[in-house]
Amino acid sequence: MMTPMRYVVLVLVIIISLHYIVSFSNENYGRATSLSHIKQSIGNQLKVGDTVPPYKVPIPEEYYNHPNTTSHVGRRANATFVILARNGDLNGVISSMKQVEDRLNKKYHYPYVFLNEQPFEENFKKRVSELTDSKVEFGLIPHDHWYQPEWIDEARATESREKMVKDNVIYGGSVPYRNMCRFNSGFFYRHELLKKYQYYWRVEPDVKFFCDLDYDPFLIMQDQNKMYGFTISLYEYEATIPTLWKATREFINANPGLLAPDNAMAFLSDDGGETYNRCHFWSNFEIGNLDLWRGEAYTKFFDFLDEKGGFYYERWGDAPVHSIGAALFAKKDQIHFFNDIGYRHEPFQHCPQGDSHKKGKCWCDSTQNFDYEWYSCLNRYDKLFA
Ligand SMILES: Nc1nc2c(ncn2[C@@H]2O[C@H](COP(=O)(O)OP(=O)(O)OP(=O)(O)O)[C@@H](O)[C@H]2O)c(=O)[nH]1
Ligand SMILES: *[C@@H]1O[C@H](CO)[C@@H](O)[C@H](O)[C@H]1NC(C)=O
Ligand SMILES: *[C@@H]1O[C@H](CO)[C@@H](O)[C@H](O)[C@H]1NC(C)=O
Ligand SMILES: [Mg+2]
């Protein structure tokens, strides 16, 4: 009698023997991995000893497809990507940037500006520079553009943070998050490295770009005189901006002449400016004209808000602040919905519908689309043009 163990061993021996018989009797079997065959086909170029594994021999140059880098010798805009990040954000930054390159920028070669209040580490610089042929620059944020100003009443700020923690307000207890919101609201566009550009595209770590983009969005901005572009809009948390609208109204009353004609106030307010409906463009994605922020109206608006201290006494986000700025200081038709750009920042995504889904070869599920979900503000944007 055979024990079960012996039976298993016998079957294994048979399988292994069959394997050998088959591989020796069929000469082509294993050809792809056979050292002698690779040597035969590219062997004449080898200047290496037999001890080097074949995968270490470079693929001959003529096998490479050289991308025609002059295929877009056409017009380019005066534009850059902007990425604010910490050294610790490296993996998320790489993930976002690789998609930017693959989906569009390998065709357009727009440069990147990275900003940080701490020096970027060598490894960070090396890893992101490897992803692109474009120019990449790394900037240090000036101290006063980032940290909480001296004149902020720290006792009052602390008290407010503690209350927000108790109330479970997201990032309610964080000072760095507030620094970030204030920096994005009023300082990024003043950085030395951004001075030479007119348009920017803000990119955050760990976002997704779902679709190929076969046109240059910066040229759309430039040719159609757009000031601000978005993909997702939604409601802000009331607890983070209790007095933001009061401050905005004060500013408007004091500076009525700074508002643009045909502005997008109706996106922000359902009662002609009396109250804020909390709609804002989600600023983790932005394509913008830096002149909007550098202009007189927004400069004065930001300074006015900053003096109120709401970036620290409350937790004013750069999204509502930018959105109010764009809606009031640009004409409504200068605010562009980039419908073709499939985009996700957790937990929401915009997925192009219908023809543009196919045109962009989008990989998002078009049934997962935030546009007209109950928490979206896109219907208010649409109504501006109704
Ligand atoms: N240099 C620097 N960058 C920061 C800091 N905090 C946030 N950022 C960057 O600022 C942007 C916004 O920060 P996020 O943490 O993504 O904030 P959020 O998008 O509101 O929230 P989540 O993405 O849901 O965490 C990202 O580009 C971050 O990398 C910081 O303290 N220093
Ligand atoms: C690259 O593209 C341009 C514009 O389409 C074309 O004129 C040129 O011949 C191409 N060059 C090569 C080497 O294919
Ligand atoms: C790009 O725009 C900036 C800011 O407006 C300007 O200073 C710069 O000269 C422009 N560069 C080019 C090449 O047009
Ligand atoms: Mg984010």
Side-chain angles (χ1 to χ4, degrees):
M1 283 297 289
M2 274 216 317
T3 63
M5 191 59 198
R6 280 188 187 160
Y7 184 72
V8 168
V9 169
L10 181 66
V11 168
L12 273 175
V13 166
I14 291 171
I15 288 174
I16 289 166
S17 314
L18 273 174
H19 178 81
Y20 269 93
I21 290 162
V22 167
S23 46
F24 280 121
S25 61
N26 180 349
E27 269 189 68
N28 287 329
Y29 182 83
R31 201 183 169 108
T33 54
S34 148
L35 179 61
S36 62
H37 275 95
I38 287 183
K39 263 186 161 172
Q40 247 167 43
S41 47
I42 58 171
N44 292 340
Q45 307 172 32
L46 293 185
K47 300 269 188 293
V48 291
D50 288 334
T51 53
V52 174
Y55 66 86
K56 292 202 173 169
V57 178
I59 301 294
E61 193 55 29
E62 60 264 30
Y63 281 76
Y64 284 90
N65 292 320
H66 285 286
N68 184 344
T69 49
T70 60
S71 68
H72 245 278
V73 285
R75 295 179 308 126
R76 287 173 82 240
N78 183 355
T80 184
F81 293 96
V82 182
I83 304 184
L84 173 72
R86 295 155 288 209
N87 283 299
D89 291 323
L90 178 60
N91 286 337
V93 163
I94 294 254
S95 164
S96 297
M97 188 175 162
K98 183 70 186 170
Q99 295 174 71
V100 167
E101 285 295 309
D102 287 350
R103 298 287 82 75
L104 72 144
N105 200 44
K106 66 183 176 197
K107 293 196 293 276
Y108 304 118
H109 306 288
Y110 282 106
Y112 291 81
V113 171
F114 285 87
L115 299 177
N116 188 352
E117 85 282 11
Q118 290 178 354
F120 282 111
E121 290 159 5
E122 286 311 312
N123 184 50
F124 187 104
K125 297 188 199 176
K126 174 172 169 289
R127 294 280 308 279
V128 302
S129 302
E130 277 175 0
L131 297 178
T132 183
D133 296 327
S134 298
K135 179 168 79 176
V136 183
E137 292 186 291
F138 301 90
L140 188 62
I141 296 169
H143 183 279
D144 292 353
H145 288 190
W146 185 266
Y147 294 99
Q148 180 174 313
E150 289 295 319
W151 48 264
I152 290 289
D153 175 352
E154 178 51 31
R156 186 177 160 197
T158 307
E159 193 184 334
S160 138
R161 291 196 303 273
E162 282 167 359
K163 176 157 192 331
M164 284 198 195
V165 170
K166 229 173 49 213
D167 295 345
N168 281 319
V169 177
I170 186 167
Y171 295 115
S174 171
V175 174
Y177 192 85
R178 286 174 169 79
N179 296 340
M180 180 274 288
C181 290
R182 177 170 173 266
F183 172 78
N184 275 327
S185 297
F187 296 96
F188 85 93
Y189 50 89
R190 306 189 214 188
H191 194 277
E192 199 56 41
L193 291 178
L194 284 183
K195 282 195 177 144
K196 55 183 176 291
Y197 299 112
Q198 192 180 350
Y199 294 95
Y200 72 101
W201 181 335
R202 172 170 161 186
V203 178
E204 277 205 4
D206 285 310
V207 299
K208 293 191 178 81
F209 291 100
F210 294 120
C211 314
D212 293 344
L213 199 61
D214 293 320
Y215 63 83
D216 177 343
F218 290 122
L219 286 180
I220 297 293
M221 299 291 289
Q222 183 176 297
D223 294 350
Q224 302 188 6
N225 193 24
K226 302 291 186 190
M227 281 294 183
Y228 190 84
F230 72 98
T231 56
I232 291 172
S233 62
L234 73 172
Y235 295 96
E236 181 57 295
Y237 299 106
E238 170 66 28
T240 65
I241 49 159
T243 68
L244 176 60
W245 194 251
K246 184 167 162 280
T248 301
R249 285 187 42 173
E250 260 178 59
F251 180 80
I252 294 173
N253 290 335
N255 304 275
L258 290 179
L259 266 60
D262 299 317
N263 60 48
M265 173 63 99
F267 176 76
L268 305 172
S269 175
D270 304 334
D271 50 19
E274 198 65 23
T275 59
Y276 180 32
N277 59 25
R278 293 184 285 117
C279 280
H280 64 285
F281 307 114
W282 216 18
S283 61
N284 49 67
F285 173 103
E286 288 183 326
I287 300 179
N289 185 336
L290 291 161
D291 288 347
L292 173 62
W293 313 132
R294 289 169 179 157
E296 183 197 358
Y298 186 80
T299 300
K300 287 185 170 165
F301 180 58
F302 173 76
D303 288 346
F304 184 86
L305 294 183
D306 199 29
E307 277 171 32
K308 296 282 180 193
F311 290 104
Y312 293 96
Y313 300 139
E314 297 181 2
R315 207 222 66 193
W316 294 351
D318 52 285
V321 171
H322 276 189
S323 300
I324 293 170
L328 298 185
F329 308 132
K331 295 179 183 174
K332 64 185 179 189
D333 57 14
Q334 291 181 304
I335 300 176
H336 185 68
F337 174 40
F338 274 104
N339 199 4
D340 304 319
I341 300 184
Y343 175 75
R344 182 180 184 90
H345 177 295
E346 292 301 331
F348 303 122
Q349 70 182 40
H350 165 67
C351 184
Q353 305 290 296
D355 286 349
S356 49
H357 193 274
K358 175 160 172 47
K359 195 160 192 174
K361 304 188 180 74
C362 304
W363 63 275
C364 48
D365 175 351
S366 57
T367 66
Q368 286 183 35
N369 179 29
F370 190 64
D371 293 3
Y372 299 107
E373 295 289 313
W374 68 276
Y375 205 60
S376 169
C377 285
L378 190 61
N379 57 348
R380 287 225 185 50
Y381 176 79
D382 292 344
K383 254 196 244 159
L384 293 174
F385 307 98

